[in-house]
Amino acid sequence: MFTKILIANRGEIACRVIKTARSMGIRTVAVYSDADASARFVKLADEAYRLGPAPAAESYLKADLILDIARQSGAQAVHPGYGFLSENEDFAAACEAAGIAFIGPPASAIAAMGSKSAAKALMEKANVPLVPGYHGDNQDELFLKAEADNMGYPVLIKASAGGGGKGMRIVERSDDFIAALASCQREARASFGDDKVLVEKYLTRPRHVEIQVFADSLGGCVYLFERDCSVQRRHQKVLEEAPAPHLPAATRQAMGEAAVAAARAVGYVGAGTVEFIMDVESGQFYFMEMNTRLQVEHPVTEMITGQDLVAWQLKVACGQALPLQQQQLAIHGHSIEARIYAEDPDKGFLPATGTLVHLQPPVENAHVRVDTGVLQGDTISPFYDPMIAKLIVWGETREAALQQLDAALAAYQVVGVTTNIRFLRRIAANPAFASGDVDTGLIARYHDSLLPAPAAPSSEQLALLAVGETLAAASNDSHAFGALQGWRLNGTLERRLGFAHGDSRIEVLLRQQQEQQLVSVNGSDIPLRATLQGKQLVANLGGKQISATLVRHGAQRVLFADGERVAVDYLDPYAYEEAGVHGETHMKAPMPGRVVALLAEAGARVVKGEPLLILEAMKMEHTITAPADGKVLAFCFAAGEQVSDGDELVDFEAD
């Protein structure tokens, strides 16, 4: 077994690998960019070396520098994690040439499966069913459009070297094909340095089911069952679970055996995932691609099999046999993983950046696991994927796992960046998902119920916010409500507090009469008693005892109570009438990024929703559209220029 390994990655997966390595007595070497100098994985590793500036191209993608550090540190092997260099055949070959073990498949296997087009050709020879499509080398736009026209719409354009939903577009009409192709190619070049694409018939109601395979260098190969990853947005996974709900045992076995055959066909070694697309109506499955690395969602497989897949990787990479054979593997219970992201579901899932001023995950136990690379006080930067954590739950049944998931999400507290936690809770509660009736169109089909207009705070929440603000303003120590400076036990004293929620302004009245304290919300008086210790608020509202968390961040006030989160802005009741608010035509950059293309001319008249420019951020393209009917007076940036969060993008005049 290795005694020291280098982890050529960052964040959550680096922390994950360090945890297993430490349990096996293996020392770890971290490499980091300037943006990650104080990151959790750097602190956890036994040694850490600087790579370079924040952009991945100048740090985590510098293969030669990483290998130099491996030699310098005495690391005997490199674990690539996922993303970055994990599926780079040249890096795997360079490790081998340097006499350093690559904890992954041989370069030849990465090459065989690294191109979606080549992989599909290989699977076709092996008689694995394929979705109809064009996977060849001809990349002429008119030729590809003709292929799409012949197979019939909708079609799916995918980056041949891609993954993670990048460089992928669904095209519904022939007229839209050329523009979608150009966008795919731009995104593919930015993410993978390769703009080659393939075109496939798009199944209208598919499931995404993948098989975890593992092979050793001694001829052993097994499958550790399947994961269902159908719940997606923008082709990126949101919830993953194992086993797949309602999958017949015969289909599970057929998919598993096909995945093993695929792995054997390329001389595979290590952990890999063979992804299939399954037609919900017919139950027929088709090969989609093979990921020649550990997957983000591998923990659900660990939870149902009781195996540590990183430990398996380490054992196989140093020449040992697989720990178990196929007949020794069994499914126990059900596991679901939710990806906690810094993103705004109400704004098209735009990535969010900022400092995690308050971060309190649920308590981990045998049923709840949190894999994360961040701590309270860390910053979510624009340079990398905005994942905060992976929340993994387990139950004896799928129903029990769902209950664990909702409770754990309700307990997850984040302030400082917008997150998708509330959105994830709505998916978990969705009747179709709860019953296991899943496909990749679930989020789009239930869009309105999953993304409703933000609800106004309840009277109880407003009362807690008001009393918490009053106590916090007086002192950070514990106080009885009636003991605040200026309050009298005999007589009446009133205090008005103003809050803003969206475009609404809300006033709450606090009163003390005789020895009783009252809070008046929406015309109703509620008796209350409360104390505040740090962020912890304990209140009795009309006889109901409530424990809550109150976080004050600038003008923002965030309350966590009864499993719900509400955020408002505190307003000075004497000043907020004069405060200006931006109208619907105030067009600012929603995040740092680069202007890719301008889609309108200065001086042009446009209608609401018409595309104005394309902004690339975190290797994904985001289209900025007209907020109303009106006129484009000028663009503030040219194509190719960088913008910062909040920069004015367009000088726009609404009708």
Side-chain angles (χ1 to χ4, degrees), residues 487-492 512-515:
W487 291 69
R488 296 185 294 273
L489 288 175
N490 298 309
T492 301
Q512 181 159 325
Q513 293 179 320
Q514 303 296 327
E515 295 182 1

Side-chain angles (χ1 to χ4, degrees), residues 146-194:
E147 289 290 316
D149 291 345
N150 288 337
M151 68 183 72
Y153 293 86
V155 300
L156 183 66
I157 307 174
K158 297 197 318 189
S160 183
K166 297 178 177 68
M168 187 181 296
R169 296 289 185 276
I170 299 169
V171 187
E172 301 282 354
R173 304 181 308 140
S174 178
D175 291 346
D176 298 333
F177 185 87
I178 297 297
L181 173 63
S183 180
C184 265
Q185 290 172 329
R186 282 194 302 268
E187 207 166 86
R189 276 194 301 272
S191 297
F192 315 112
D194 183 351

